[in-house]
Amino acid sequence: MASSDNQPQWHRFQILSLFGGGIRGILSAAILAAIEEDLGVKISDHFDLIAGTSTGGIIALGLGLGLTPKEIVDFYISEARSIFGDRFKLRSLKQYAASKFSAEPLAVALRKCFKEQRFGDSRKRLIIPSYNLGDDDVYVFRTAHHQRLARDYKVPAWKVALATSAAPTYFPATREVDSIRLIDGGIWANNPTMVAIIEAYGTLGVPLSSLRVLSLGTSEEICDRHRDLDVGGFWQWKTAAVDVVMRGQSLAATNHARFLIGKDNLLRINPPVPSGVLALTGLGVPPISLERPPTIVARKCRLSNRCFGAI
């Protein structure tokens, strides 16, 4: 990707932010596919920067490398069982002492999907969060959209996808990129909206007033926090802790973004679902039509006016 140092003054700069969420990324891809069908557009043509974490990072890479959202949906459907298979239902027990799944099926699926393409082959500006366990610090993959960004463009796309989606306790850390111990970017930026805004404003010099963001989640579970949590210890919080932390992190990122760019310049789509319907590694087809998610029908007009104007 060419350097953007000589970028003209931005009248409108559009960001697509894609959340993490495991196999639930199929819902995000399905929503994008429905937008393409409803509005007769190529989704990637309408965004200047795409940010994605974990499963959202896989989708972002796919869009940047020319896949359609429908092809990404097909990827999830065809590869889910090989990546998350648990034939004898013993992996949950294994997870107490080791990663629940092997990284090999995921790596094989990603290599098959992205082939020999490099991160720098993306047709769009991309920003993909990960986390460096060795340095105990955040790690961000960025396409070469500025002259000082020359580190990541040669990295094979499948290795970037593996690094952003190596969720602790589900997959082992990957050392495929310069032997660095990388894990899921959802540790710190499961909702990468603020990461993208900072990149646009701080690196590309886009005024905050020019930014427009479509923030797309992987569903939001409706749940009632049990009163035992009020005074609970490790046992009471063992399942709720991660969910509460991730939800709080995501809401904070969205609220900060709305404060910076204006609430009318950020559209957040994160369909609510009943508790337990869409598991992080569930293999069943979501009980929502992948052909036409109902969220799209209600928000189509707002979406077309707010996010698909002239860039």
Side-chain angles (χ1 to χ4, degrees):
M1 174 170 290
S3 169
S4 298
D5 281 352
N6 298 319
Q7 200 68 267
Q9 292 296 312
W10 295 101
H11 171 65
R12 185 183 181 106
F13 187 97
Q14 303 196 153
I15 294 171
L16 175 60
S17 174
L18 299 161
F19 294 22
I23 193 61
R24 295 179 304 187
I26 193 173
L27 182 60
S28 301
I31 288 174
L32 294 175
I35 292 173
E36 287 201 336
E37 181 182 350
D38 285 352
L39 303 182
V41 299
K42 182 179 178 182
I43 199 77
S44 59
D45 287 346
H46 292 268
F47 293 97
D48 300 287
L49 174 65
I50 303 177
T53 301
S54 193
T55 195
I58 294 173
I59 297 171
L61 283 160
L63 294 174
L65 293 170
L67 296 180
T68 67
K70 179 60 169 61
E71 289 172 328
I72 297 171
V73 169
D74 292 341
F75 165 79
Y76 280 107
I77 292 173
S78 63
E79 301 295 343
R81 291 193 181 279
S82 64
I83 296 170
F84 298 115
D86 189 5
R87 182 178 178 184
F88 299 108
K89 309 300 181 184
L90 297 177
R91 292 192 183 274
S92 293
L93 292 175
K94 176 188 174 185
Q95 197 173 11
Y96 283 98
S99 300
K100 186 174 183 179
F101 302 105
S102 166
E104 186 59 23
L106 176 59
V108 168
L110 293 171
R111 284 197 295 263
K112 185 166 64 174
C113 179
F114 297 126
K115 300 180 174 61
E116 300 303 316
Q117 294 182 97
R118 302 180 305 172
F119 186 51
D121 293 329
S122 172
R123 302 169 180 84
K124 308 300 296 186
R125 299 176 188 87
L126 299 180
I127 185 162
I128 311 290
S130 184
Y131 191 85
N132 183 339
L133 272 181
D135 289 345
D136 209 14
D137 197 0
V138 300
Y139 194 96
V140 182
F141 293 96
R142 299 189 285 177
T143 48
H145 46 257
H146 190 278
Q147 66 177 1
R148 72 170 185 262
L149 302 179
R151 184 192 66 186
D152 302 324
Y153 74 98
K154 291 183 178 180
V155 179
W158 72 267
K159 293 186 178 182
V160 177
L162 192 63
T164 192
S165 57
T169 78
Y170 289 96
F171 296 103
T174 179
R175 294 182 180 232
E176 292 287 351
V177 180
D178 298 327
S179 299
I180 302 170
R181 297 162 58 201
L182 295 174
I183 60 172
D184 197 313
I187 290 296
W188 66 280
N190 201 55
N191 171 357
T193 300
M194 278 300 298
V195 180
I197 288 175
I198 291 169
E199 186 72 4
Y201 176 72
T203 301
L204 297 174
V206 181
L208 293 176
S209 59
S210 297
L211 296 179
R212 305 292 185 272
V213 177
L214 172 57
S215 180
L216 184 55
T218 58
S219 77
E220 190 168 49
E221 194 171 82
I222 301 169
C223 57
D224 181 24
R225 304 293 178 198
H226 200 280
R227 290 185 179 275
D228 285 353
L229 297 179
D230 296 358
V231 294
F234 289 124
W235 180 256
Q236 287 80 8
W237 277 92
K238 65 184 186 299
T239 56
V242 172
D243 182 58
V244 171
V245 169
M246 299 288 272
R247 175 176 166 79
Q249 173 207 111
S250 179
L251 290 172
T254 298
N255 291 339
H256 292 160
R258 283 177 172 152
F259 176 80
L260 287 176
I261 70 174
K263 64 179 182 180
D264 291 333
N265 294 324
L266 186 151
L267 176 61
R268 182 174 186 261
I269 298 179
N270 200 23
V273 298
S275 178
V277 168
L278 293 178
L280 192 69
T281 59
L283 298 177
V285 176
I288 298 172
S289 171
L290 296 181
E291 298 276 330
R292 184 173 299 275
T295 310
I296 295 302
V297 177
R299 299 193 179 183
K300 175 179 173 181
C301 293
R302 290 174 60 201
L303 193 59
S304 58
N305 290 335
R306 204 179 285 181
C307 295
F308 293 93
I311 295 177

